[in-house]
Amino acid sequence: MKKFLIILFYIKLLLISSCGYEIINKVYNYKFEIVDTQFEGDVTVNKKLEKYFLKFQNKNDATRFFKIKSNSKLIKKVTSRNSAGEESSYSIRIIVVVDIIENNQIVNKSNFEKNVSYNALNSKFELRQYEKDLINDLVEQIMLDISTYLGTL
């Protein structure tokens, strides 16, 4: 029985390693560098974007050099109320407009947008924490979209 399990393990290992399996959200080694950034709009979103763009600075193997101008909006709306008039569900929408500048000319202007809907929680503290987590998740998705987009230019 033990030999059977060992053989089964090696067969699974062989199949997984030889089928071309790749992680979906693999961060690729893009050949560009972000030399300057300017941010306008929502401070929370901009801080996360600025921190993310730092990893694309001072790259030795870069072949293209971009300046990024970003304008972000965070929109929180009440989408429904219960019969007592209390807020029962919300939506958060984050919009980031990115101007990509290369050689002092705007190469492209792109919009990145993500949104999520969620129900209200009983505790206001838990609701605020949940909203922060949702905003972090949405900004991370937008950051991945931006880096993938820049890598395809």
Side-chain angles (χ1 to χ4, degrees):
M1 182 68 172
K2 192 174 185 178
K3 285 184 180 183
F4 175 73
L5 290 175
I6 292 172
I7 292 172
L8 185 63
F9 172 75
Y10 283 113
I11 290 174
K12 285 183 180 181
L13 183 65
L14 179 67
L15 290 175
I16 289 175
S17 64
S18 64
C19 70
Y21 173 77
E22 265 189 46
I23 299 172
I24 293 174
N25 289 333
K26 180 180 176 183
V27 177
Y28 294 98
N29 188 17
Y30 293 119
K31 304 261 187 218
F32 64 84
E33 180 178 334
I34 297 176
V35 293
D36 188 29
T37 55
Q38 294 178 358
F39 299 99
E40 294 178 10
D42 187 73
V43 176
T44 306
V45 174
N46 289 342
K47 283 182 183 179
K48 294 181 187 321
L49 286 173
E50 185 175 15
K51 185 176 179 182
Y52 182 73
F53 287 148
L54 286 176
K55 74 178 188 178
F56 295 110
Q57 292 181 352
N58 301 323
K59 293 184 76 172
N60 295 331
D61 61 345
T63 57
R64 298 184 78 180
F65 301 92
F66 298 124
K67 292 181 183 178
I68 303 290
K69 288 185 181 179
S70 170
N71 188 355
S72 61
K73 293 181 189 174
L74 187 140
I75 303 166
K76 179 185 166 191
K77 289 185 180 179
V78 177
T79 56
S80 68
R81 297 181 183 268
N82 61 16
S83 59
E86 298 170 338
E87 300 163 345
S88 62
S89 66
Y90 303 92
S91 70
I92 292 179
R93 183 171 154 198
I94 297 177
I95 303 167
V96 179
V97 178
V98 177
D99 292 338
I100 303 160
I101 301 168
E102 186 177 28
N103 298 326
N104 293 325
Q105 294 183 345
I106 295 179
V107 175
N108 207 330
K109 183 174 189 169
S110 299
N111 295 333
F112 299 92
E113 180 177 334
K114 297 288 181 187
N115 58 27
V116 67
S117 297
Y118 58 99
N119 293 327
L121 301 174
N122 293 334
S123 168
K124 295 294 181 187
F125 175 75
E126 289 177 2
L127 180 63
R128 299 294 173 244
Q129 288 300 115
Y130 186 58
E131 287 173 351
K132 286 180 183 178
D133 291 341
L134 290 174
I135 290 169
N136 286 339
D137 291 344
L138 292 175
V139 173
E140 284 180 17
Q141 291 174 15
I142 289 174
M143 290 184 300
L144 287 173
D145 290 348
I146 291 171
S147 63
T148 303
Y149 183 73
L150 288 172
T152 60
L153 289 179

